[in-house]
Amino acid sequence: MGLLSYVSSAFIFVVSIGYLYMRSRHNFWRNRGIPYARGKPHLIMGHMEHLKTKHAAYINQEIYQDLKARGEAFGGMSVFLSPGLIVVDPELVKTILVKDFNVYHDRGIHNDAESDPLSANLFTLDGQEWRVLHEKFSPTFTTGRMKQMFGTIQQVTEELLEYMNENCHREMEMKDVLARFTTDVIGTCAFGIECNSLKNSDLDFRKFGNKVFEHNTTLLVKFMFVTMFKNMAKRIGVKLIDSSVERFFLQVVRDTVQYREMNNVQRNDFMNLLLQIKNKGYLEECDGDASDTVKNETRITLNELAAQVFVFIVAGYETSSSTMNFCLYELAKNPNIQERLREEIERSIKDNAGQLTYEMVMNNPYLNNVVNETLRKYPPIEALSRVPNCDVTMPGTNHLIPKNTLIQIPVYAIQRDPEYYPDPDQFNPDRFLPEAVKQRHPYVFLPFGEGPRVCVGMRFGMMQVKLGLITLLRNFRFSATSTTPSEIVFDPKSFILSPASGNCLKVDKI
Protein backbone atom coordinates (compact mmCIF):
# COMPACT_ATOMS: atom_id res chain seq x y z
CA MET A 1 0.00 0.00 0.00
CA GLY A 2 2.96 2.29 0.61
CA LEU A 3 3.99 2.18 -3.07
CA LEU A 4 0.44 2.75 -4.24
CA SER A 5 0.16 5.71 -1.90
CA TYR A 6 3.36 7.24 -3.27
CA VAL A 7 2.21 6.72 -6.88
CA SER A 8 -1.20 8.24 -6.15
CA SER A 9 0.36 11.22 -4.40
CA ALA A 10 2.80 11.76 -7.28
CA PHE A 11 -0.04 11.55 -9.80
CA ILE A 12 -2.16 14.04 -7.86
CA PHE A 13 0.86 16.35 -7.55
CA VAL A 14 1.61 16.26 -11.29
CA VAL A 15 -2.04 16.82 -12.21
CA SER A 16 -2.29 19.70 -9.74
CA ILE A 17 0.84 21.35 -11.12
CA GLY A 18 -0.49 20.92 -14.65
CA TYR A 19 -3.85 22.38 -13.69
CA LEU A 20 -2.27 25.37 -11.95
CA TYR A 21 0.04 25.96 -14.93
CA MET A 22 -2.86 25.95 -17.39
CA ARG A 23 -4.92 28.26 -15.21
CA SER A 24 -1.95 30.63 -14.88
CA ARG A 25 -1.72 30.78 -18.67
CA HIS A 26 -5.33 32.01 -18.79
CA ASN A 27 -4.49 34.72 -16.26
CA PHE A 28 -1.73 36.09 -18.50
CA TRP A 29 -3.54 39.34 -19.37
CA ARG A 30 -5.24 39.81 -15.99
CA ASN A 31 -1.86 39.67 -14.24
CA ARG A 32 -0.56 42.43 -16.53
CA GLY A 33 -3.54 44.74 -16.03
CA ILE A 34 -4.57 44.44 -19.69
CA PRO A 35 -8.30 44.22 -20.58
CA TYR A 36 -9.33 40.74 -21.58
CA ALA A 37 -12.32 38.80 -22.86
CA ARG A 38 -15.01 38.03 -20.33
CA GLY A 39 -16.02 34.51 -19.43
CA LYS A 40 -13.99 31.75 -17.83
CA PRO A 41 -11.70 30.22 -20.47
CA HIS A 42 -11.80 26.47 -21.02
CA LEU A 43 -8.86 24.74 -19.34
CA ILE A 44 -7.32 23.60 -22.65
CA MET A 45 -9.25 25.35 -25.42
CA GLY A 46 -9.31 28.79 -23.79
CA HIS A 47 -11.80 31.09 -25.54
CA MET A 48 -11.84 28.65 -28.47
CA GLU A 49 -13.91 26.20 -26.40
CA HIS A 50 -16.75 25.97 -28.93
CA LEU A 51 -14.56 25.87 -32.04
CA LYS A 52 -15.83 22.42 -33.06
CA THR A 53 -19.45 23.61 -33.15
CA LYS A 54 -19.12 27.35 -33.84
CA HIS A 55 -17.05 29.06 -36.53
CA ALA A 56 -14.17 31.21 -35.24
CA ALA A 57 -15.80 34.23 -36.94
CA TYR A 58 -18.65 34.13 -34.41
CA ILE A 59 -16.30 33.60 -31.44
CA ASN A 60 -14.09 36.55 -32.38
CA GLN A 61 -17.15 38.70 -33.11
CA GLU A 62 -18.52 38.14 -29.60
CA ILE A 63 -15.18 39.09 -28.03
CA TYR A 64 -14.86 42.13 -30.32
CA GLN A 65 -18.35 43.38 -29.47
CA ASP A 66 -17.76 42.96 -25.73
CA LEU A 67 -14.42 44.81 -25.81
CA LYS A 68 -15.87 47.61 -27.94
CA ALA A 69 -18.87 48.03 -25.62
CA ARG A 70 -16.36 48.55 -22.81
CA GLY A 71 -14.51 51.21 -24.81
CA GLU A 72 -11.32 49.17 -25.29
CA ALA A 73 -9.00 49.58 -28.29
CA PHE A 74 -7.84 45.98 -27.91
CA GLY A 75 -8.11 43.12 -25.45
CA GLY A 76 -6.58 39.83 -24.44
CA MET A 77 -7.95 36.34 -24.95
CA SER A 78 -6.75 32.76 -24.64
CA VAL A 79 -6.09 30.99 -27.95
CA PHE A 80 -5.98 27.49 -26.49
CA LEU A 81 -3.21 27.86 -23.86
CA SER A 82 -1.51 30.76 -25.61
CA PRO A 83 -2.21 34.44 -24.91
CA GLY A 84 -3.61 36.33 -27.88
CA LEU A 85 -4.98 39.79 -28.62
CA ILE A 86 -8.07 41.00 -30.45
CA VAL A 87 -7.77 44.45 -32.06
CA VAL A 88 -10.82 46.74 -31.96
CA ASP A 89 -9.64 50.25 -32.91
CA PRO A 90 -9.17 50.79 -36.69
CA GLU A 91 -6.29 53.20 -36.02
CA LEU A 92 -4.50 50.36 -34.23
CA VAL A 93 -5.28 48.13 -37.21
CA LYS A 94 -3.55 50.70 -39.43
CA THR A 95 -0.54 50.82 -37.10
CA ILE A 96 -0.12 47.05 -37.15
CA LEU A 97 -0.68 46.48 -40.87
CA VAL A 98 1.11 49.56 -42.25
CA LYS A 99 2.74 52.11 -39.94
CA ASP A 100 4.75 49.64 -37.87
CA PHE A 101 4.95 46.88 -40.46
CA ASN A 102 8.64 46.39 -39.69
CA VAL A 103 7.55 45.15 -36.23
CA TYR A 104 4.47 43.17 -37.31
CA HIS A 105 5.50 41.72 -40.66
CA ASP A 106 5.00 38.05 -39.68
CA ARG A 107 1.71 36.17 -39.51
CA GLY A 108 2.91 33.67 -36.92
CA ILE A 109 1.61 30.72 -38.95
CA HIS A 110 3.41 27.38 -38.82
CA ASN A 111 5.71 26.66 -41.76
CA ASP A 112 8.48 24.10 -42.17
CA ALA A 113 10.23 23.79 -45.54
CA GLU A 114 11.90 20.50 -44.58
CA SER A 115 9.16 18.47 -42.90
CA ASP A 116 6.12 20.17 -44.46
CA PRO A 117 7.39 21.58 -47.79
CA LEU A 118 4.06 22.88 -49.10
CA SER A 119 3.64 24.96 -45.93
CA ALA A 120 6.66 27.15 -46.78
CA ASN A 121 4.79 29.50 -49.08
CA LEU A 122 4.34 33.23 -49.53
CA PHE A 123 1.36 33.32 -47.17
CA THR A 124 3.04 31.65 -44.19
CA LEU A 125 6.76 32.48 -44.41
CA ASP A 126 8.34 34.94 -41.98
CA GLY A 127 11.05 37.57 -42.00
CA GLN A 128 13.73 37.61 -44.66
CA GLU A 129 12.46 34.41 -46.30
CA TRP A 130 9.13 36.12 -46.94
CA ARG A 131 10.77 39.31 -48.21
CA VAL A 132 12.88 37.42 -50.77
CA LEU A 133 9.94 35.40 -52.08
CA HIS A 134 7.63 38.42 -52.10
CA GLU A 135 10.10 40.33 -54.27
CA LYS A 136 10.17 37.44 -56.72
CA PHE A 137 6.49 36.53 -56.87
CA SER A 138 4.61 39.81 -56.58
CA PRO A 139 5.32 40.64 -60.27
CA THR A 140 3.43 37.48 -61.28
CA PHE A 141 0.17 39.23 -60.35
CA THR A 142 0.57 42.59 -62.07
CA THR A 143 -2.15 43.97 -64.33
CA GLY A 144 -0.19 42.99 -67.42
CA ARG A 145 0.09 39.37 -66.27
CA MET A 146 -3.61 39.24 -65.43
CA LYS A 147 -4.49 40.47 -68.91
CA GLN A 148 -2.46 37.60 -70.32
CA MET A 149 -4.46 35.08 -68.24
CA PHE A 150 -7.81 36.71 -69.00
CA GLY A 151 -8.39 34.69 -72.17
CA THR A 152 -7.54 31.44 -70.37
CA ILE A 153 -10.17 32.09 -67.70
CA GLN A 154 -12.65 33.18 -70.37
CA GLN A 155 -12.39 29.72 -71.95
CA VAL A 156 -13.39 28.14 -68.64
CA THR A 157 -16.39 30.51 -68.33
CA GLU A 158 -17.56 29.24 -71.72
CA GLU A 159 -17.52 25.70 -70.28
CA LEU A 160 -19.48 27.01 -67.27
CA LEU A 161 -22.05 28.53 -69.62
CA GLU A 162 -22.38 25.26 -71.52
CA TYR A 163 -22.91 23.34 -68.28
CA MET A 164 -25.51 25.83 -67.04
CA ASN A 165 -27.41 25.72 -70.33
CA GLU A 166 -27.67 21.95 -70.04
CA ASN A 167 -28.85 21.97 -66.42
CA CYS A 168 -30.78 25.20 -65.84
CA HIS A 169 -34.20 23.59 -66.30
CA ARG A 170 -34.22 22.68 -62.60
CA GLU A 171 -33.17 24.00 -59.21
CA MET A 172 -29.41 23.93 -58.91
CA GLU A 173 -26.98 23.58 -56.04
CA MET A 174 -24.78 26.55 -56.91
CA LYS A 175 -22.18 25.98 -54.19
CA ASP A 176 -21.08 22.77 -55.93
CA VAL A 177 -21.24 24.23 -59.44
CA LEU A 178 -19.11 27.24 -58.53
CA ALA A 179 -16.55 25.09 -56.71
CA ARG A 180 -16.16 23.03 -59.88
CA PHE A 181 -15.78 26.21 -61.94
CA THR A 182 -12.98 27.59 -59.77
CA THR A 183 -11.33 24.15 -59.70
CA ASP A 184 -11.13 24.29 -63.48
CA VAL A 185 -9.83 27.88 -63.42
CA ILE A 186 -7.09 27.04 -60.91
CA GLY A 187 -6.25 23.80 -62.71
CA THR A 188 -5.68 25.50 -66.02
CA CYS A 189 -4.01 28.67 -64.67
CA ALA A 190 -1.75 26.98 -62.12
CA PHE A 191 -0.93 23.73 -63.94
CA GLY A 192 -2.19 24.03 -67.49
CA ILE A 193 -4.41 21.03 -66.73
CA GLU A 194 -7.84 20.74 -68.31
CA CYS A 195 -9.69 19.39 -65.26
CA ASN A 196 -13.20 19.44 -66.76
CA SER A 197 -14.66 19.02 -63.27
CA LEU A 198 -17.87 20.67 -64.51
CA LYS A 199 -18.42 17.54 -66.58
CA ASN A 200 -16.77 15.06 -64.21
CA SER A 201 -16.84 15.95 -60.51
CA ASP A 202 -15.10 12.73 -59.44
CA LEU A 203 -11.54 13.89 -60.09
CA ASP A 204 -8.40 13.55 -57.99
CA PHE A 205 -7.62 17.24 -58.44
CA ARG A 206 -10.96 18.22 -56.94
CA LYS A 207 -10.83 15.50 -54.26
CA PHE A 208 -7.44 16.59 -52.95
CA GLY A 209 -8.34 20.25 -53.35
CA ASN A 210 -11.32 19.69 -51.04
CA LYS A 211 -9.15 17.77 -48.59
CA VAL A 212 -6.98 20.86 -48.02
CA PHE A 213 -9.92 22.55 -46.29
CA GLU A 214 -11.07 19.60 -44.19
CA HIS A 215 -11.12 20.46 -40.49
CA ASN A 216 -11.01 17.34 -38.31
CA THR A 217 -10.04 16.51 -34.73
CA THR A 218 -6.54 15.35 -35.64
CA LEU A 219 -5.80 18.56 -37.51
CA LEU A 220 -7.26 20.64 -34.67
CA VAL A 221 -4.95 18.92 -32.15
CA LYS A 222 -1.95 19.55 -34.42
CA PHE A 223 -3.00 23.17 -34.90
CA MET A 224 -3.28 23.63 -31.13
CA PHE A 225 0.18 22.15 -30.67
CA VAL A 226 1.93 24.32 -33.28
CA THR A 227 0.13 27.40 -31.92
CA MET A 228 1.34 26.76 -28.37
CA PHE A 229 4.75 25.22 -29.12
CA LYS A 230 5.86 26.62 -32.48
CA ASN A 231 9.61 26.02 -32.07
CA MET A 232 9.15 22.50 -30.72
CA ALA A 233 6.76 21.69 -33.56
CA LYS A 234 9.51 22.55 -36.06
CA ARG A 235 12.12 20.51 -34.19
CA ILE A 236 10.01 17.36 -34.22
CA GLY A 237 8.64 17.94 -37.74
CA VAL A 238 4.89 18.36 -37.17
CA LYS A 239 2.98 18.36 -40.47
CA LEU A 240 -0.25 20.33 -40.87
CA ILE A 241 -0.76 19.43 -44.52
CA ASP A 242 -2.10 15.93 -45.05
CA SER A 243 0.57 13.57 -46.43
CA SER A 244 -1.68 12.33 -49.24
CA VAL A 245 -2.39 15.94 -50.29
CA GLU A 246 1.34 16.70 -50.24
CA ARG A 247 2.20 13.63 -52.34
CA PHE A 248 -0.49 14.38 -54.90
CA PHE A 249 0.38 18.04 -55.48
CA LEU A 250 4.14 17.51 -55.43
CA GLN A 251 3.75 14.77 -58.06
CA VAL A 252 1.46 16.92 -60.23
CA VAL A 253 4.00 19.77 -60.07
CA ARG A 254 6.94 17.48 -60.90
CA ASP A 255 5.10 15.94 -63.86
CA THR A 256 3.98 19.34 -65.16
CA VAL A 257 7.44 20.90 -64.85
CA GLN A 258 9.13 17.93 -66.47
CA TYR A 259 6.70 17.87 -69.41
CA ARG A 260 6.93 21.61 -70.02
CA GLU A 261 10.69 21.75 -69.85
CA MET A 262 11.17 18.72 -72.09
CA ASN A 263 8.69 20.00 -74.69
CA ASN A 264 9.35 23.75 -74.33
CA VAL A 265 5.66 24.41 -73.62
CA GLN A 266 4.70 28.11 -73.32
CA ARG A 267 1.30 29.14 -71.90
CA ASN A 268 -0.18 32.30 -70.41
CA ASP A 269 -0.54 30.86 -66.92
CA PHE A 270 0.93 30.94 -63.44
CA MET A 271 3.11 27.86 -63.97
CA ASN A 272 4.85 29.48 -66.92
CA LEU A 273 5.80 32.47 -64.76
CA LEU A 274 7.07 30.25 -61.95
CA LEU A 275 9.21 28.27 -64.37
CA GLN A 276 10.87 31.51 -65.48
CA ILE A 277 11.76 32.24 -61.84
CA LYS A 278 12.95 28.65 -61.32
CA ASN A 279 15.20 28.59 -64.38
CA LYS A 280 16.30 32.23 -64.67
CA GLY A 281 15.77 33.73 -61.23
CA TYR A 282 13.50 36.48 -62.59
CA LEU A 283 10.49 37.16 -64.81
CA GLU A 284 10.82 38.21 -68.40
CA GLU A 285 9.49 41.69 -69.11
CA CYS A 286 5.79 42.11 -69.72
CA ASP A 287 4.38 44.95 -71.79
CA GLY A 288 3.00 47.71 -69.60
CA ASP A 289 4.56 46.47 -66.35
CA ALA A 290 7.68 48.44 -65.52
CA SER A 291 8.02 46.56 -62.21
CA ASP A 292 8.82 43.39 -64.15
CA THR A 293 12.20 44.79 -65.20
CA VAL A 294 13.67 44.28 -61.69
CA LYS A 295 15.90 41.20 -61.76
CA ASN A 296 16.96 39.19 -58.71
CA GLU A 297 18.67 36.19 -60.27
CA THR A 298 18.43 33.84 -57.26
CA ARG A 299 16.55 30.81 -58.54
CA ILE A 300 13.96 28.77 -56.66
CA THR A 301 13.88 25.02 -56.07
CA LEU A 302 11.19 22.67 -57.30
CA ASN A 303 9.76 22.39 -53.77
CA GLU A 304 9.62 26.18 -53.45
CA LEU A 305 7.82 26.34 -56.78
CA ALA A 306 5.38 23.64 -55.62
CA ALA A 307 4.68 25.53 -52.37
CA GLN A 308 3.72 28.67 -54.30
CA VAL A 309 1.46 26.72 -56.65
CA PHE A 310 -0.13 25.11 -53.61
CA VAL A 311 -0.93 28.42 -51.90
CA PHE A 312 -2.27 29.68 -55.24
CA ILE A 313 -4.72 26.75 -55.14
CA VAL A 314 -5.63 27.28 -51.50
CA ALA A 315 -6.07 31.05 -51.88
CA GLY A 316 -7.90 30.95 -55.19
CA TYR A 317 -10.08 27.86 -55.22
CA GLU A 318 -12.40 27.82 -52.20
CA THR A 319 -12.27 31.54 -51.46
CA SER A 320 -13.35 32.58 -54.96
CA SER A 321 -16.09 29.97 -55.27
CA SER A 322 -17.46 30.94 -51.84
CA THR A 323 -17.48 34.64 -52.78
CA MET A 324 -19.41 33.90 -55.97
CA ASN A 325 -21.76 31.62 -54.06
CA PHE A 326 -22.48 34.24 -51.38
CA CYS A 327 -22.99 36.87 -54.07
CA LEU A 328 -25.55 34.79 -55.99
CA TYR A 329 -27.32 34.01 -52.70
CA GLU A 330 -27.67 37.73 -51.93
CA LEU A 331 -28.72 38.56 -55.49
CA ALA A 332 -31.39 35.85 -55.38
CA LYS A 333 -32.66 37.34 -52.11
CA ASN A 334 -32.53 40.87 -53.55
CA PRO A 335 -33.96 40.64 -57.11
CA ASN A 336 -33.97 44.44 -57.60
CA ILE A 337 -30.21 44.55 -57.05
CA GLN A 338 -29.78 41.59 -59.39
CA GLU A 339 -31.72 43.30 -62.18
CA ARG A 340 -29.84 46.56 -61.73
CA LEU A 341 -26.51 44.75 -61.88
CA ARG A 342 -27.54 42.87 -65.00
CA GLU A 343 -28.54 46.13 -66.70
CA GLU A 344 -25.25 47.80 -65.71
CA ILE A 345 -23.25 44.87 -67.09
CA GLU A 346 -25.11 44.95 -70.41
CA ARG A 347 -24.69 48.73 -70.65
CA SER A 348 -20.94 48.46 -70.05
CA ILE A 349 -20.52 45.77 -72.69
CA LYS A 350 -22.55 47.79 -75.19
CA ASP A 351 -20.41 50.88 -74.48
CA ASN A 352 -17.34 48.70 -75.03
CA ALA A 353 -18.38 47.84 -78.61
CA GLY A 354 -19.88 44.55 -77.42
CA GLN A 355 -16.52 43.28 -76.23
CA LEU A 356 -15.83 41.61 -72.88
CA THR A 357 -12.35 42.83 -71.98
CA TYR A 358 -10.19 42.83 -68.85
CA GLU A 359 -10.68 46.57 -68.34
CA MET A 360 -14.46 46.34 -68.71
CA VAL A 361 -14.71 43.40 -66.27
CA MET A 362 -12.49 44.97 -63.62
CA ASN A 363 -13.82 48.54 -63.85
CA ASN A 364 -17.60 48.19 -63.88
CA PRO A 365 -18.63 50.45 -60.94
CA TYR A 366 -21.78 48.66 -59.84
CA LEU A 367 -20.25 45.20 -60.20
CA ASN A 368 -17.37 46.45 -58.03
CA ASN A 369 -19.88 47.63 -55.42
CA VAL A 370 -21.80 44.35 -55.43
CA VAL A 371 -18.66 42.24 -55.08
CA ASN A 372 -17.29 44.53 -52.36
CA GLU A 373 -20.54 44.33 -50.41
CA THR A 374 -20.36 40.53 -50.71
CA LEU A 375 -16.79 40.60 -49.38
CA ARG A 376 -17.90 42.90 -46.56
CA LYS A 377 -20.58 40.51 -45.35
CA TYR A 378 -18.58 37.38 -46.13
CA PRO A 379 -14.81 38.04 -46.02
CA PRO A 380 -13.07 34.78 -47.05
CA ILE A 381 -10.60 35.02 -44.14
CA GLU A 382 -12.46 36.01 -40.99
CA ALA A 383 -9.38 37.36 -39.17
CA LEU A 384 -5.88 38.55 -40.05
CA SER A 385 -3.05 37.44 -37.80
CA ARG A 386 0.24 39.17 -36.95
CA VAL A 387 2.97 38.64 -34.36
CA PRO A 388 5.45 41.32 -33.19
CA ASN A 389 9.12 40.44 -33.68
CA CYS A 390 10.05 42.17 -30.40
CA ASP A 391 8.40 43.30 -27.16
CA VAL A 392 6.23 46.28 -28.08
CA THR A 393 4.18 48.88 -26.20
CA MET A 394 0.69 49.38 -27.55
CA PRO A 395 0.19 52.99 -28.78
CA GLY A 396 -1.39 55.30 -26.23
CA THR A 397 -0.89 52.86 -23.35
CA ASN A 398 1.81 51.53 -21.02
CA HIS A 399 0.88 47.94 -21.88
CA LEU A 400 3.85 45.87 -23.02
CA ILE A 401 2.99 43.10 -25.45
CA PRO A 402 5.57 40.28 -25.48
CA LYS A 403 7.38 39.21 -28.64
CA ASN A 404 5.57 36.58 -30.77
CA THR A 405 2.14 37.23 -29.19
CA LEU A 406 -0.62 36.29 -31.63
CA ILE A 407 -2.56 39.43 -32.60
CA GLN A 408 -5.84 38.97 -34.46
CA ILE A 409 -7.62 41.62 -36.50
CA PRO A 410 -11.22 40.33 -36.62
CA VAL A 411 -12.17 41.27 -40.19
CA TYR A 412 -15.63 39.67 -40.04
CA ALA A 413 -16.49 41.45 -36.77
CA ILE A 414 -15.23 44.85 -37.98
CA GLN A 415 -17.11 44.58 -41.27
CA ARG A 416 -20.32 43.68 -39.40
CA ASP A 417 -19.94 46.59 -36.95
CA PRO A 418 -23.03 48.87 -37.16
CA GLU A 419 -20.88 51.92 -36.33
CA TYR A 420 -19.21 51.58 -39.72
CA TYR A 421 -21.97 49.78 -41.62
CA PRO A 422 -25.47 50.65 -40.32
CA ASP A 423 -27.88 47.70 -40.45
CA PRO A 424 -24.88 45.44 -41.23
CA ASP A 425 -26.90 42.34 -42.11
CA GLN A 426 -28.60 44.17 -44.98
CA PHE A 427 -27.04 43.65 -48.41
CA ASN A 428 -26.53 47.16 -49.78
CA PRO A 429 -23.96 47.72 -52.58
CA ASP A 430 -24.44 51.50 -52.29
CA ARG A 431 -22.25 51.36 -49.18
CA PHE A 432 -19.39 51.39 -51.67
CA LEU A 433 -20.35 54.50 -53.60
CA PRO A 434 -17.35 56.89 -53.52
CA GLU A 435 -19.04 59.37 -51.20
CA ALA A 436 -19.98 56.61 -48.72
CA VAL A 437 -16.48 55.15 -48.72
CA LYS A 438 -14.95 58.56 -47.95
CA GLN A 439 -17.03 58.83 -44.78
CA ARG A 440 -15.64 55.60 -43.30
CA HIS A 441 -12.28 54.84 -41.75
CA PRO A 442 -10.16 53.26 -44.51
CA TYR A 443 -9.22 50.29 -42.30
CA VAL A 444 -12.70 48.89 -41.69
CA PHE A 445 -12.80 47.05 -45.04
CA LEU A 446 -10.08 44.40 -45.13
CA PRO A 447 -11.17 41.34 -47.16
CA PHE A 448 -7.68 41.02 -48.68
CA GLY A 449 -5.72 42.48 -45.77
CA GLU A 450 -3.76 45.71 -46.19
CA GLY A 451 -0.20 46.99 -46.27
CA PRO A 452 2.86 45.17 -47.66
CA ARG A 453 1.31 41.76 -46.88
CA VAL A 454 -1.94 42.46 -48.71
CA CYS A 455 -3.04 39.42 -50.74
CA VAL A 456 -0.84 39.41 -53.87
CA GLY A 457 -3.43 37.34 -55.75
CA MET A 458 -6.21 39.88 -55.20
CA ARG A 459 -6.41 40.87 -58.88
CA PHE A 460 -6.58 37.25 -60.01
CA GLY A 461 -9.28 36.38 -57.49
CA MET A 462 -11.39 39.39 -58.42
CA MET A 463 -10.94 38.67 -62.11
CA GLN A 464 -12.25 35.10 -61.93
CA VAL A 465 -15.10 36.09 -59.58
CA LYS A 466 -16.26 38.97 -61.77
CA LEU A 467 -15.88 37.12 -65.06
CA GLY A 468 -17.83 34.17 -63.64
CA LEU A 469 -20.61 36.41 -62.33
CA ILE A 470 -20.90 38.34 -65.59
CA THR A 471 -21.22 35.09 -67.54
CA LEU A 472 -23.95 33.80 -65.22
CA LEU A 473 -25.96 37.01 -64.86
CA ARG A 474 -26.02 37.79 -68.57
CA ASN A 475 -27.59 34.41 -69.30
CA PHE A 476 -29.56 33.40 -66.22
CA ARG A 477 -31.84 34.80 -63.56
CA PHE A 478 -31.45 33.45 -60.02
CA SER A 479 -34.18 33.28 -57.39
CA ALA A 480 -34.62 31.73 -53.95
CA THR A 481 -36.53 28.47 -53.43
CA SER A 482 -38.18 26.85 -50.43
CA THR A 483 -34.87 25.10 -49.70
CA THR A 484 -32.72 28.23 -49.91
CA PRO A 485 -31.53 29.02 -46.36
CA SER A 486 -33.13 32.12 -44.83
CA GLU A 487 -29.71 33.15 -43.55
CA ILE A 488 -26.18 31.87 -43.94
CA VAL A 489 -24.63 29.87 -41.11
CA PHE A 490 -20.90 29.25 -41.42
CA ASP A 491 -19.47 25.76 -41.36
CA PRO A 492 -17.33 25.32 -38.20
CA LYS A 493 -15.34 22.60 -39.97
CA SER A 494 -14.02 25.09 -42.55
CA PHE A 495 -11.07 27.39 -41.92
CA ILE A 496 -12.52 29.98 -44.29
CA LEU A 497 -16.05 31.38 -44.34
CA SER A 498 -18.10 28.71 -46.04
CA PRO A 499 -21.84 28.02 -45.69
CA ALA A 500 -22.77 25.02 -43.55
CA SER A 501 -25.62 24.19 -45.94
CA GLY A 502 -25.79 24.42 -49.68
CA ASN A 503 -27.21 27.18 -51.84
CA CYS A 504 -30.04 25.76 -53.88
CA LEU A 505 -31.39 28.37 -56.31
CA LYS A 506 -33.97 28.41 -59.07
CA VAL A 507 -32.21 29.19 -62.34
CA ASP A 508 -34.12 30.58 -65.32
CA LYS A 509 -32.51 31.10 -68.68
CA ILE A 510 -32.81 34.64 -70.01
Side-chain angles (χ1 to χ4, degrees), residues 225-362:
F225 185 82
V226 302
T227 300
M228 295 184 289
F229 310 107
K230 188 176 180 181
N231 293 332
M232 186 185 298
K234 269 197 172 184
R235 284 199 296 272
I236 64 178
V238 174
K239 292 173 66 72
L240 286 184
I241 296 173
D242 184 88
S243 294
S244 64
V245 171
E246 178 186 297
R247 285 193 300 271
F248 174 76
F249 283 110
L250 282 176
Q251 191 59 53
V252 170
V253 169
R254 289 191 193 103
D255 292 346
T256 303
V257 169
Q258 183 180 33
Y259 177 80
R260 290 202 179 191
E261 291 183 342
M262 288 180 63
N263 296 279
N264 193 29
V265 176
Q266 301 292 320
R267 293 182 87 249
N268 288 326
D269 60 17
F270 189 59
M271 180 63 75
N272 193 60
L273 301 177
L274 292 181
L275 284 174
Q276 290 180 33
I277 299 173
K278 171 183 173 290
N279 296 325
K280 299 180 181 180
Y282 61 88
L283 287 174
E284 295 173 357
E285 294 184 16
C286 174
D287 292 342
D289 284 325
S291 59
D292 291 351
T293 60
V294 178
K295 296 183 180 180
N296 178 341
E297 297 190 8
T298 305
R299 302 183 183 187
I300 59 171
T301 66
L302 187 61
N303 274 2
E304 287 174 327
L305 182 151
Q308 310 324 309
V309 172
F310 179 73
V311 78
F312 183 71
I313 295 166
V314 172
Y317 155 60
E318 182 74 11
T319 55
S320 294
S321 67
S322 291
T323 299
M324 294 175 67
N325 183 51
F326 289 133
C327 187
L328 288 183
Y329 169 83
E330 291 290 353
L331 292 176
K333 291 280 190 176
N334 297 275
N336 292 340
I337 296 175
Q338 183 181 162
E339 289 303 320
R340 179 181 169 187
L341 176 57
R342 185 176 291 110
E343 291 170 4
E344 293 290 342
I345 289 171
E346 292 296 350
R347 183 180 296 112
S348 293
I349 294 175
K350 182 179 179 181
D351 292 343
N352 199 42
Q355 298 298 310
L356 197 62
T357 61
Y358 175 84
E359 288 80 6
M360 182 258 128
V361 168
M362 298 299 282

Side-chain angles (χ1 to χ4, degrees), residues 400-416:
L400 186 68
I401 306 303
K403 175 183 178 180
N404 292 329
T405 298
L406 177 65
I407 299 175
Q408 294 197 80
I409 298 167
V411 176
Y412 175 81
I414 292 172
Q415 294 181 178
R416 293 284 185 118

Side-chain angles (χ1 to χ4, degrees), residues 19 38 55 80 139 143 160 173 207 216 231 270 280 296 305 326-327 342 354 369-370 400 412 434 496 498:
Y19 175 82
R38 288 176 176 161
H55 198 281
F80 311 123
T143 300
L160 172 64
E173 177 47 71
K207 180 178 74 174
N216 52 46
N231 293 332
F270 189 59
K280 299 180 181 180
N296 178 341
L305 182 151
F326 289 133
C327 187
R342 185 176 291 110
N369 296 351
V370 169
L400 186 68
Y412 175 81
I496 69 167
S498 181

